[in-house]
Amino acid sequence: RFDYGKMWTFEYPPSEYFTETYDFDASEQWFERARLSVLRIPGCSASFVSPHGLVATNHHCVRGRVAGLSRESEDLLTDGFVASSLSEERRIPQYYADQLIHVQDISDGVFSATDAAPDADQEQVRTRVIEEVRTQLKAEHASMGDSIWVQVIGLYNGGRYSAYVFRRFTDVRLVVAAEVEMGFFGGDPDNFTYPRYDLDFAFLRIYEDDRPYRPTHYFGWGEGVEPGDAVFIIGNPGQTNRLKTIAQLEYQRDVSVPANVHSLGTRLSILAHYRQADPEGARAMGIRNWMFGLSNSLKANTGRLEALNNRMIMARKADAERKLIEAIAGDPELAETYGGLFDRLAEIQVKKRDLAPYTAAFMRMGNVFAGSVTMARAMRAEAVLNALAHGVEGEELDQVMTELRRVPDRGGEVEIGFLAQRFADFERYLGADHPITVAALGGLDPDAAARSMIDHSMLATRQATLDAIEAGTLTVEDPMIALMAAVYPVTSEYNPAFGALTREENELQAALGRVRFEVYGKTVPPDGSFSPRIADGIVKGYDYNGTIAPPYTTFYGLYDRYFSHGEGVGIGEEWNLPERWKTPPEGLDLSTPLNFVSTTDSYGGNSGSPAVTPDLELVGLNFDRNINGLSRDFIYLPEQGRNVMVDVRAIRAALEVVYGADRIVAEMVGGMLYESETEADAAAM
């Protein structure tokens, strides 16, 4: 029943299912309070937890912002941060939090307009109708000022459309953040695993007119959970692939995901080698966090590939597809309109497979995070030269120059390794005799070719590139520009061809989404789409590795991991503890639950999502999945897949015993707002 998951939308709330399954009144008012208590922050989710605008989320959701708030002689990422008074709460520049105040299914209006238009005009008509809806809804909420914005999202791959009206708060301040060694305890080795021992939490506060904002709805602070308890995760899960056809999944299994795994794995190996060879240089470059970003994606893609090669999973997906095809065939009207969808989608996958070598060879080619900056700079420099050759000037030229200036410098062995790997990818996927490979290698091996390119190209640094363009000395004689002369004719054919297939595929997926909704209605939730969702499950351990993973872990386990690994340097530092935590703080009950797991359906984007009870009390903050849950990109399997959360009991214990944040505890638990810790202490006496 739930193979497609439990990422329910607020426009189609599963009231009856929740009420029957968990024995409480999941009323319209319950869903409204749940929706208005949650916030969407950049890349993550969060929630109001007091009547004074206090907001709870994960530490890793604000980790970069915490580092940026450090003042002279401060290192808030390492040492943590606790504002002892309202005046010490630090505003986060260019940050925001969005509250969903209204949601509306606008599918009928969109489809009535597009269905009446010629095929060639449907995209333009769809865009016009959506913009009209956005304008109308913004006007309806104009009384709330410029803080309102409207987002229209296609659900079921464009089979339905919903308009989400958000109120945006832009005065967001940091209140509390754990140390990074606590929030990220276990680092990359423990990522996507369980048992876990992370104190991955932070508190923010929303301000309005320079005073703490007073929300109408917020979650009460809970007392924790026990095995078998129901929990609900509310947040913004990212894009999933649960509604894809078997042909689409087989293309991902055979082409796109293996290429992703290879691309990420080879780049991660380059960084790992550099980190081992030069620990100090790696620390200065922030290699550890860089590696975590790549490794996080690699593990996710490796899990996706394992799921796609799992015969049981693919058999269940095939069976579901067969049932949908039979339902369409059994309805003459649906069969006439949608009968050929699956065959047409399969034909597109065949055409995409013909382009597979180029898809793999060019993967992330212009990406500066997971690719060579020299290659990224060459692509943009070639675009600038092309613009100049065609007399482009003004804003259009400024735009391509801006893109070029954004490419950072990265010297040394890491950049040589990344460029060499790009050349190796050309050889791997295109063959040694392909003109691109020949231009890249010049008869050398990839490493020697990369070193030669960087030594002899004007594109080795940003300033040298800009100087050469200004002086007019950057020509095809430059080895990197000569390489682009071989690359560009191929990409100029590949990109439009692949783009056309993608557009056609998207249109067919939208049609498939419409017929799926016709057949199943709202009983099947849509794929994740970074739009607000609510998911249900229960607190439950699981069998793994010949033993049993407990429903929750404790501070005892954290200290076992720390003392078992010892004080590490390099790889071992993932289990180090901050100075004030190395000896268990006096008064800290080590049996306090630290992390717990549930069967709730979560995904990337759910970081920071509140885990609440049927009484809408906060009991945890979602921060991860286990390795068994990586198949959730395609199918929801609650047998072993789990989401991992920080327990509110651990957060409260840390605030009271370690961080001395009594005013925050008083606000969470009793709703009292104190200006300072002194005022809170006086009130307690």
Side-chain angles (χ1 to χ4, degrees), residues 184 188 267-295 369 410-411 413-415 418 570-571 573-574:
F184 194 37
D188 178 62
R267 275 67 178 178
L268 188 62
S269 294
I270 292 166
L271 295 180
H273 179 77
Y274 180 76
R275 185 183 180 195
Q276 185 174 16
D278 185 1
E280 288 303 316
R283 192 170 290 111
M285 288 181 66
I287 292 286
R288 182 184 179 190
N289 281 340
W290 191 1
M291 288 181 65
F292 174 72
L294 289 177
S295 179
F369 179 75
R410 183 201 299 144
E413 293 299 310
V414 171
E415 175 55 20
F418 273 37
I571 297 298
E573 66 186 350
E574 275 82 0

Side-chain angles (χ1 to χ4, degrees), residues 559-594:
Y559 281 101
D560 177 69
R561 295 287 278 171
Y562 167 62
F563 286 112
S564 295
H565 284 284
E567 282 289 319
V569 178
I571 297 298
E573 66 186 350
E574 275 82 0
W575 296 279
N576 288 348
L577 287 175
E579 199 62 41
R580 61 179 161 187
W581 284 92
K582 288 181 179 178
T583 299
E586 185 177 353
L588 180 66
D589 182 353
L590 298 184
S591 67
T592 302
L594 178 52

Side-chain angles (χ1 to χ4, degrees), residues 458-473:
M458 297 178 182
L459 305 183
T461 68
R462 174 165 45 192
Q463 192 57 54
T465 303
L466 297 175
D467 290 344
I469 290 175
E470 184 177 354
T473 56

Side-chain angles (χ1 to χ4, degrees), residues 296-366:
N296 191 58
S297 297
L298 176 61
K299 287 184 178 181
N301 275 280
T302 301
R304 294 175 69 224
L305 189 58
E306 290 178 359
L308 290 168
N309 280 294
N310 184 301
R311 287 187 291 177
M312 179 273 292
I313 290 176
M314 294 297 278
R316 282 168 71 159
K317 300 297 291 184
D319 187 56
E321 183 170 301
R322 176 187 57 79
K323 291 176 181 177
L324 179 56
I325 291 173
E326 290 176 352
I328 294 171
D331 185 315
E333 187 175 340
L334 294 181
E336 182 179 355
T337 306
Y338 302 106
L341 275 178
F342 289 91
D343 289 339
R344 291 169 65 191
L345 279 165
E347 290 168 3
I348 289 176
Q349 308 317 305
V350 173
K351 294 176 182 177
K352 286 167 61 177
R353 285 175 183 269
D354 292 339
L355 299 173
Y358 302 104
T359 300
F362 300 148
M363 184 167 285
R364 298 186 180 87
M365 190 161 68

